[in-house]
Amino acid sequence: MIITRSPLRISLGGGGTDLPSYYREHGGFLVAGALDKYVYLTLHRTFVPDLIVKYSKLERVPTAAQLEHPIIREAFALLGMDGRSLELTSMADIPGGTGLGSSGSFTTALLKVLHAANKHLISPAELAEQACHIEIDKLGEPIGKQDQYIAAIGGITAFTFHQDGRVEYRPVKITEETLFNLEDNLLLFFTGYSRSASAILKDQNDKSKQNNQAMLDHLHFTKDLGHQSLAALESSNLDEFARLMDVHWQRKKSRSTGMSNARINEWYDYARAHGALGGKLIGAGGGGFLMFYAADKTRLRHAMREKGLQEVRFRFDFEGTKVVTQN
């Protein structure tokens, strides 16, 4: 049996500028952090000729080409595997559709387990590019490259997306004390809403392709916030980092009515009044997790508990997508 895991992620500044429709014309930049919350894939050989795949559904097919699940079908095709006599199962610490990049984490964990089955070593960057190729090029999803890259690489990482498609990345130069403060004072709360990122990102993608000036101005502004967020983290100015999160969120939710709703706005305002210096909704918008940087984390926890929101505590993951077990 082979088991792989791939971390989920949070965006720390500049999110949205990683879509090809934007960076191919203007270049993109963002900062992201990998979490110690994971998507897991297990693969083992069976004594039946079919391929058995277990996710939210169960599929049993003669070959991988007949799978309904598009990402799994394309991953087997990319590696030239028919899947016969294999059983593949996926699990996750947190469900999909919650803004933590689960699709990119799933795809990188899947490719990693298939490469491991073939006894093939693959670099994190190559793994990320293969995952992007499947999701963006083969399946046409209107998404960016952030999720696949941060899942494959891990850590707290700054990414530059070049117009020619190249992705440069480096670890954020953060002190140990700042890292501990960031982990202690960044709080995640589940809103109870799940949504499809593709539907929300399609609007951004379409408008970017049409050179919609309002959308381009928003993304230019967001990219600049990404650079400012990096500077705040590297200078250990976490109060400024929190302020920039709030600026980003206020700008983002003004862009589209689908970004938020009355309840999310109420929770956000309540958090700001009860110990949060700044925050935002993680991911494309519309649901998922609210993230806050707390000046008073105990007060904020109590306030969000009063509102019925469940907290997910986390630390950052610095290993990226990896093989956990192979025997």
Side-chain angles (χ1 to χ4, degrees):
M1 176 180 286
I2 306 168
I3 303 174
T4 58
R5 76 177 194 196
S6 191
L8 299 172
R9 65 97 183 102
I10 51 175
S11 297
L12 298 173
T17 66
D18 59 320
L19 268 71
S21 56
Y22 178 76
Y23 73 69
R24 282 176 182 158
E25 295 295 324
H26 310 282
F29 178 85
L30 60 83
V31 181
L35 307 182
D36 63 349
K37 300 290 177 271
Y38 302 99
V39 174
Y40 299 89
L41 267 291
T42 69
L43 183 74
H44 69 272
R45 293 215 160 269
T46 66
F47 296 95
V48 297
D50 292 344
L51 167 62
I52 301 169
V53 176
K54 298 175 182 177
Y55 50 105
S56 56
K57 294 173 63 176
L58 171 64
E59 293 194 61
R60 182 167 178 165
V61 293
T63 67
Q66 293 162 277
L67 285 169
E68 290 181 18
H69 196 296
I71 293 176
I72 301 175
R73 186 180 65 241
E74 292 297 335
F76 272 98
L78 183 67
L79 272 67
M81 300 171 67
D82 62 18
R84 293 178 189 274
S85 299
L86 292 176
E87 183 172 318
L88 179 75
T89 304
S90 73
M91 297 163 284
D93 289 327
I94 295 173
T98 52
L100 300 181
S102 59
S103 179
S105 301
F106 174 86
T107 309
T108 51
L110 170 63
L111 287 167
K112 188 74 170 179
V113 84
L114 296 181
H115 279 293
N118 288 338
K119 296 180 170 52
H120 178 227
L121 294 176
I122 183 170
S123 71
E126 188 181 0
L127 184 69
E129 272 303 316
Q130 287 188 358
C132 291
H133 174 68
I134 287 172
E135 293 195 78
I136 299 170
D137 301 331
K138 299 295 289 185
L139 298 177
E141 290 289 341
I143 59 173
K145 289 187 169 184
Q146 169 189 190
D147 298 352
Q148 300 85 353
Y149 266 87
I150 189 62
I153 293 156
I156 301 173
T157 306
F159 296 94
T160 300
F161 302 92
H162 293 282
Q163 290 171 277
D164 62 3
R166 287 182 302 113
V167 180
E168 282 187 60
Y169 57 90
R170 69 167 179 85
V172 173
K173 297 169 185 172
I174 189 169
T175 67
E176 188 175 51
E177 181 182 2
T178 302
L179 172 63
F180 291 156
N181 286 334
L182 196 62
E183 289 183 326
D184 285 344
N185 297 316
L186 267 183
L187 277 59
L188 277 177
F189 298 95
F190 184 48
T191 63
Y193 297 104
S194 298
R195 81 292 176 272
S196 167
S198 295
I200 296 169
L201 290 172
K202 185 177 185 301
D203 177 61
Q204 175 184 321
N205 200 46
D206 290 345
K207 287 180 177 177
S208 294
K209 287 178 178 177
Q210 295 159 8
N211 288 316
N212 178 280
Q213 196 57 51
M215 178 61 72
L216 292 178
D217 287 346
H218 168 78
L219 291 171
H220 296 335
F221 181 81
T222 301
K223 181 168 64 176
D224 184 58
L225 284 180
H227 286 288
Q228 292 182 55
S229 297
L230 175 65
L233 290 170
E234 294 194 328
S235 62
S236 300
N237 190 345
L238 293 180
D239 286 4
E240 172 65 3
F241 169 74
R243 186 190 72 81
L244 292 168
M245 276 204 301
D246 179 64
V247 170
H248 178 252
W249 174 239
Q250 300 301 337
R251 180 73 172 250
K252 185 174 181 177
K253 74 175 182 178
S254 69
R255 193 181 87 209
S256 167
T257 55
M259 287 292 170
S260 189
N261 60 45
R263 291 193 75 189
I264 291 173
N265 291 340
E266 177 195 342
W267 292 329
Y268 187 90
D269 293 341
Y270 195 73
R272 289 299 313 277
H274 291 81
L277 289 179
K280 62 180 179 178
L281 202 64
I282 296 296
F289 282 86
L290 278 164
M291 179 174 73
F292 299 103
Y293 186 83
D296 185 342
K297 61 191 175 188
T298 302
R299 184 181 176 209
L300 179 58
R301 282 193 172 111
H302 289 160
M304 293 294 96
R305 197 174 297 131
E306 286 174 10
K307 291 293 184 180
L309 272 67
Q310 179 182 353
E311 183 185 1
V312 172
R313 300 198 184 194
F314 68 91
R315 289 287 186 254
F316 289 105
D317 167 277
F318 289 88
E319 296 183 305
T321 305
K322 63 177 285 188
V323 175
V324 178
T325 300
Q326 184 167 7
N327 54 36

